[in-house]
Amino acid sequence: MNFASDNAGPAHPRVMEALARAGEGYAMPYGNDPVTADAVGAIRDLFEAPEAEVAFVGTGTAANALALSCLVRPFETVYCSSMAHIEEDECNAPEFFTGGAKMTLLHAPDGLIDPAAFAAALAATRDRGVHGAQAGALSITQITERGTAYSLAEIGRLADMARDAGIPVHLDGARFANACAALGCTAAEMTWKAGVDAVSFGGTKNGCLGVEAVVMFRPEHGRELALRRKRSGHLWSKQRYLSAQMSAYVEDGLWLEMAGAANAACARLAEAVRAVPSGRLAHAPAGNMIYADLPRAAHRRAMAAGAQYYIYPSDTPLDGPDDTPIRCRLVCDWSKPLSEIERIAAAWEGRKA
């Protein structure tokens, strides 16, 4: 009953089989191999962007930081949600990779950036003149850090505001597949067709062993991305092992199939939360992650039964009044069986599974 993170889930067998095939014999290093060429072509086809620059890296932090480093200069700022992963969970990697660009944090109810807050921040930046950070880029997360999702229209509105301000848009897509599955849209519709200039297309959380694709839709960033990836130590000599994962991931729609399974499991989990007396969803879930308030006694029973997930704040004691609501985060991956959801639901409710 591990609901702590989709990072905790297994890699899909087809991904592992692709890795094994990539290990048969010899291939030229640093991405000069046919496996990488095929994977780059597959990503360009997926995004309907034949001129896009594509680079594979091993972590989401590297993907986000490298993408932003191509978009933002050291004296500029990245506008992002106050709860953005690039702000809270990447140990200042974007600031480091960009040479010092700062983050301007925006009010984001339910994880979704408020356009009025973005407009106010842009105006404040202009008012500072030479004394303050200059407008650099907008970064949004899809699915958001609270499990919600922007509609295509909402992405387009924010992108239009960024374009009017003369700045590019980056999309942190660690759970990109879950958003596409939830919205029923294509990868192109959720990115460049909506005004996005660069995306971190995640695979690790959705059935890959460890691979993310940096996709830059403006070809002028291509050379810089290649050099920055090398300079930062993220160009693998045996690049084919990253590329093989990504090829298997997008082949025959596997990425969407796995995301759909994770989303469906999470929808059932949300029902289980609502069935608990005093159970409440903190945000309207769109994909495979939910935040919920549950009574302390329910948490105690679930964890005693072996469930794993995060509670907030992390130092909240489980001993205390039974009825006190405690917030938690619950995440489903592609392989989550319904039997585990039934077990945790029974534990929360204090009944036998």
Side-chain angles (χ1 to χ4, degrees):
M1 290 191 291
N2 191 312
F3 296 90
S5 175
D6 34 13
N7 285 319
H12 194 280
R14 282 162 56 183
V15 171
M16 300 303 289
E17 290 164 6
L19 275 168
R21 287 194 300 272
E24 296 171 355
Y26 290 78
M28 294 301 289
Y30 302 110
N32 297 304
D33 62 90
V35 175
T36 296
D38 288 347
V40 168
I43 293 298
R44 287 173 173 163
D45 289 345
L46 179 68
F47 282 92
E48 304 170 39
E51 301 300 319
E53 186 66 22
V54 179
F56 303 126
V57 295
T59 71
T61 294
N64 285 332
L66 280 168
L68 288 170
S69 72
C70 293
L71 301 177
V72 180
R73 292 174 291 181
F75 48 83
E76 293 177 335
T77 189
V78 177
Y79 303 96
C80 65
S81 159
S82 58
M83 59 197 72
H85 199 272
I86 58 172
E87 162 64 16
E88 291 196 338
D89 295 288
E90 295 186 356
C91 197
N92 293 6
E95 292 90 334
F96 177 70
F97 276 56
T98 59
K102 68 175 292 184
M103 301 286 156
T104 294
L105 308 184
L106 305 176
H107 180 53
D110 293 323
L112 303 165
I113 290 174
D114 179 5
F118 182 32
L122 287 168
T125 301
R126 288 192 296 268
D127 290 343
R128 290 285 293 142
V130 71
H131 302 286
Q134 305 300 294
L138 170 68
S139 180
I140 63 175
T141 307
Q142 180 80 324
I143 282 175
T144 76
E145 290 81 5
R146 293 297 178 265
T148 54
Y150 294 93
S151 68
L152 297 184
E154 288 170 330
I155 294 174
R157 181 182 180 189
L158 290 170
D160 286 345
M161 293 174 66
R163 185 179 300 106
D164 290 344
I167 62 173
V169 179
H170 162 257
L171 191 151
D172 177 348
R175 295 184 174 93
F176 186 97
N178 302 96
C180 274
L183 295 178
C185 66
T186 68
E189 288 170 339
M190 204 165 72
T191 52
W192 64 267
K193 289 185 177 181
V196 172
D197 298 284
V199 61
S200 304
F201 177 62
T204 306
K205 294 182 186 297
N206 190 37
C208 289
L209 188 68
V211 64
E212 317 285 313
V214 184
V215 185
M216 311 293 290
F217 297 110
R218 290 159 55 179
E220 64 266 28
H221 294 303
R223 176 69 170 163
E224 184 176 354
L225 176 61
L227 293 171
R228 286 182 178 276
R229 179 175 59 162
K230 175 64 177 179
R231 181 175 181 265
S232 63
H234 286 282
L235 176 62
W236 286 26
S237 58
K238 294 185 177 181
Q239 191 73 23
R240 66 188 185 275
Y241 291 107
L242 290 178
S243 306
Q245 295 178 68
M246 192 56 72
S247 284
Y249 184 53
V250 301
E251 186 177 18
D252 297 329
L254 179 61
W255 66 291
L256 275 178
E257 177 186 322
M258 290 191 289
N263 289 0
C266 198
R268 175 65 190 92
L269 188 63
E271 293 176 4
V273 167
R274 295 187 186 100
V276 178
S278 303
R280 186 184 75 88
L281 296 173
H283 315 280
N288 68 321
M289 178 171 66
I290 59 177
Y291 282 76
D293 296 322
L294 291 164
R296 177 182 273 114
H299 289 301
R300 276 203 303 264
R301 289 191 295 267
M303 292 185 180
Q308 293 177 286
Y309 55 88
Y310 293 113
I311 60 174
Y312 294 90
S314 58
D315 60 352
T316 303
L318 287 183
D319 56 330
D322 287 353
D323 295 335
T324 302
I326 296 174
R327 182 150 298 180
C328 66
R329 189 190 79 164
L330 302 148
V331 190
C332 294
D333 77 300
W334 68 273
S335 68
K336 183 60 62 183
L338 292 180
S339 59
E340 288 191 18
I341 297 172
E342 294 306 320
R343 285 172 58 203
I344 196 171
W348 281 335
E349 295 177 42
R351 57 178 173 81
K352 290 186 176 181

PDB file of all heavy atoms in Angstrom, residues 198-214:
ATOM      1  N   ALA A 198       8.908  25.671 -24.141  1.00  0.00           N
ATOM      2  CA  ALA A 198       9.785  24.571 -23.725  1.00  0.00           C
ATOM      3  C   ALA A 198       9.044  23.721 -22.716  1.00  0.00           C
ATOM      4  O   ALA A 198       8.264  24.229 -21.903  1.00  0.00           O
ATOM      5  CB  ALA A 198      11.078  25.102 -23.107  1.00  0.00           C
ATOM      6  N   VAL A 199       9.299  22.396 -22.761  1.00  0.00           N
ATOM      7  CA  VAL A 199       8.625  21.493 -21.830  1.00  0.00           C
ATOM      8  C   VAL A 199       9.610  20.456 -21.319  1.00  0.00           C
ATOM      9  O   VAL A 199      10.499  20.006 -22.048  1.00  0.00           O
ATOM     10  CB  VAL A 199       7.415  20.805 -22.504  1.00  0.00           C
ATOM     11  CG1 VAL A 199       7.834  19.965 -23.690  1.00  0.00           C
ATOM     12  CG2 VAL A 199       6.642  19.938 -21.508  1.00  0.00           C
ATOM     13  N   SER A 200       9.448  20.105 -20.065  1.00  0.00           N
ATOM     14  CA  SER A 200      10.129  18.941 -19.494  1.00  0.00           C
ATOM     15  C   SER A 200       9.119  17.795 -19.538  1.00  0.00           C
ATOM     16  O   SER A 200       8.164  17.775 -18.760  1.00  0.00           O
ATOM     17  CB  SER A 200      10.554  19.221 -18.049  1.00  0.00           C
ATOM     18  OG  SER A 200      11.356  20.378 -17.969  1.00  0.00           O
ATOM     19  N   PHE A 201       9.324  16.886 -20.459  1.00  0.00           N
ATOM     20  CA  PHE A 201       8.381  15.790 -20.691  1.00  0.00           C
ATOM     21  C   PHE A 201       8.809  14.601 -19.846  1.00  0.00           C
ATOM     22  O   PHE A 201       9.797  13.939 -20.117  1.00  0.00           O
ATOM     23  CB  PHE A 201       8.376  15.442 -22.186  1.00  0.00           C
ATOM     24  CG  PHE A 201       7.497  14.279 -22.554  1.00  0.00           C
ATOM     25  CD1 PHE A 201       6.126  14.310 -22.355  1.00  0.00           C
ATOM     26  CD2 PHE A 201       8.048  13.140 -23.139  1.00  0.00           C
ATOM     27  CE1 PHE A 201       5.321  13.228 -22.712  1.00  0.00           C
ATOM     28  CE2 PHE A 201       7.255  12.063 -23.508  1.00  0.00           C
ATOM     29  CZ  PHE A 201       5.887  12.111 -23.289  1.00  0.00           C
ATOM     30  N   GLY A 202       8.051  14.338 -18.786  1.00  0.00           N
ATOM     31  CA  GLY A 202       8.465  13.362 -17.793  1.00  0.00           C
ATOM     32  C   GLY A 202       8.151  11.930 -18.146  1.00  0.00           C
ATOM     33  O   GLY A 202       7.089  11.621 -18.687  1.00  0.00           O
ATOM     34  N   GLY A 203       9.089  11.033 -17.814  1.00  0.00           N
ATOM     35  CA  GLY A 203       8.862   9.605 -17.963  1.00  0.00           C
ATOM     36  C   GLY A 203       9.062   8.837 -16.666  1.00  0.00           C
ATOM     37  O   GLY A 203       8.444   7.796 -16.453  1.00  0.00           O
ATOM     38  N   THR A 204       9.894   9.373 -15.780  1.00  0.00           N
ATOM     39  CA  THR A 204      10.278   8.632 -14.578  1.00  0.00           C
ATOM     40  C   THR A 204       9.087   8.309 -13.689  1.00  0.00           C
ATOM     41  O   THR A 204       8.978   7.199 -13.158  1.00  0.00           O
ATOM     42  CB  THR A 204      11.320   9.434 -13.780  1.00  0.00           C
ATOM     43  OG1 THR A 204      12.411   9.770 -14.640  1.00  0.00           O
ATOM     44  CG2 THR A 204      11.820   8.641 -12.591  1.00  0.00           C
ATOM     45  N   LYS A 205       8.180   9.260 -13.491  1.00  0.00           N
ATOM     46  CA  LYS A 205       7.036   9.044 -12.606  1.00  0.00           C
ATOM     47  C   LYS A 205       5.967   8.156 -13.239  1.00  0.00           C
ATOM     48  O   LYS A 205       5.022   7.773 -12.567  1.00  0.00           O
ATOM     49  CB  LYS A 205       6.415  10.399 -12.223  1.00  0.00           C
ATOM     50  CG  LYS A 205       7.302  11.293 -11.376  1.00  0.00           C
ATOM     51  CD  LYS A 205       6.582  12.586 -11.021  1.00  0.00           C
ATOM     52  CE  LYS A 205       7.473  13.575 -10.308  1.00  0.00           C
ATOM     53  NZ  LYS A 205       7.965  13.092  -9.019  1.00  0.00           N
ATOM     54  N   ASN A 206       6.122   7.869 -14.521  1.00  0.00           N
ATOM     55  CA  ASN A 206       5.053   7.174 -15.236  1.00  0.00           C
ATOM     56  C   ASN A 206       5.571   5.922 -15.934  1.00  0.00           C
ATOM     57  O   ASN A 206       5.299   5.684 -17.107  1.00  0.00           O
ATOM     58  CB  ASN A 206       4.409   8.125 -16.245  1.00  0.00           C
ATOM     59  CG  ASN A 206       3.134   7.561 -16.861  1.00  0.00           C
ATOM     60  OD1 ASN A 206       2.342   6.897 -16.195  1.00  0.00           O
ATOM     61  ND2 ASN A 206       2.921   7.846 -18.137  1.00  0.00           N
ATOM     62  N   GLY A 207       6.338   5.104 -15.196  1.00  0.00           N
ATOM     63  CA  GLY A 207       6.686   3.794 -15.713  1.00  0.00           C
ATOM     64  C   GLY A 207       8.038   3.645 -16.365  1.00  0.00           C
ATOM     65  O   GLY A 207       8.357   2.573 -16.872  1.00  0.00           O
ATOM     66  N   CYS A 208       8.861   4.699 -16.354  1.00  0.00           N
ATOM     67  CA  CYS A 208      10.232   4.576 -16.854  1.00  0.00           C
ATOM     68  C   CYS A 208      11.183   4.352 -15.689  1.00  0.00           C
ATOM     69  O   CYS A 208      10.858   4.625 -14.526  1.00  0.00           O
ATOM     70  CB  CYS A 208      10.644   5.814 -17.638  1.00  0.00           C
ATOM     71  SG  CYS A 208       9.812   5.970 -19.232  1.00  0.00           S
ATOM     72  N   LEU A 209      12.364   3.867 -16.007  1.00  0.00           N
ATOM     73  CA  LEU A 209      13.367   3.663 -14.969  1.00  0.00           C
ATOM     74  C   LEU A 209      13.941   4.994 -14.511  1.00  0.00           C
ATOM     75  O   LEU A 209      14.179   5.216 -13.327  1.00  0.00           O
ATOM     76  CB  LEU A 209      14.488   2.771 -15.503  1.00  0.00           C
ATOM     77  CG  LEU A 209      15.527   2.289 -14.499  1.00  0.00           C
ATOM     78  CD1 LEU A 209      14.890   1.320 -13.515  1.00  0.00           C
ATOM     79  CD2 LEU A 209      16.681   1.605 -15.226  1.00  0.00           C
ATOM     80  N   GLY A 210      14.146   5.905 -15.451  1.00  0.00           N
ATOM     81  CA  GLY A 210      14.666   7.228 -15.127  1.00  0.00           C
ATOM     82  C   GLY A 210      15.044   7.965 -16.394  1.00  0.00           C
ATOM     83  O   GLY A 210      16.172   7.831 -16.880  1.00  0.00           O
ATOM     84  N   VAL A 211      14.105   8.738 -16.942  1.00  0.00           N
ATOM     85  CA  VAL A 211      14.397   9.545 -18.135  1.00  0.00           C
ATOM     86  C   VAL A 211      13.376  10.668 -18.252  1.00  0.00           C
ATOM     87  O   VAL A 211      12.196  10.484 -17.954  1.00  0.00           O
ATOM     88  CB  VAL A 211      14.399   8.694 -19.424  1.00  0.00           C
ATOM     89  CG1 VAL A 211      13.027   8.102 -19.711  1.00  0.00           C
ATOM     90  CG2 VAL A 211      14.902   9.498 -20.612  1.00  0.00           C
ATOM     91  N   GLU A 212      13.871  11.828 -18.647  1.00  0.00           N
ATOM     92  CA  GLU A 212      13.031  12.987 -18.933  1.00  0.00           C
ATOM     93  C   GLU A 212      13.516  13.578 -20.254  1.00  0.00           C
ATOM     94  O   GLU A 212      14.710  13.542 -20.560  1.00  0.00           O
ATOM     95  CB  GLU A 212      13.159  14.061 -17.829  1.00  0.00           C
ATOM     96  CG  GLU A 212      13.164  13.526 -16.409  1.00  0.00           C
ATOM     97  CD  GLU A 212      11.804  13.078 -15.916  1.00  0.00           C
ATOM     98  OE1 GLU A 212      10.837  13.832 -16.109  1.00  0.00           O
ATOM     99  OE2 GLU A 212      11.726  11.975 -15.325  1.00  0.00           O
ATOM    100  N   ALA A 213      12.608  14.138 -21.018  1.00  0.00           N
ATOM    101  CA  ALA A 213      12.974  14.775 -22.276  1.00  0.00           C
ATOM    102  C   ALA A 213      12.810  16.285 -22.150  1.00  0.00           C
ATOM    103  O   ALA A 213      11.745  16.761 -21.742  1.00  0.00           O
ATOM    104  CB  ALA A 213      12.112  14.257 -23.414  1.00  0.00           C
ATOM    105  N   VAL A 214      13.868  17.022 -22.471  1.00  0.00           N
ATOM    106  CA  VAL A 214      13.769  18.469 -22.601  1.00  0.00           C
ATOM    107  C   VAL A 214      13.428  18.746 -24.058  1.00  0.00           C
ATOM    108  O   VAL A 214      14.166  18.349 -24.963  1.00  0.00           O
ATOM    109  CB  VAL A 214      15.086  19.172 -22.238  1.00  0.00           C
ATOM    110  CG1 VAL A 214      14.914  20.690 -22.295  1.00  0.00           C
ATOM    111  CG2 VAL A 214      15.564  18.739 -20.853  1.00  0.00           C
TER     112      VAL A 214
END
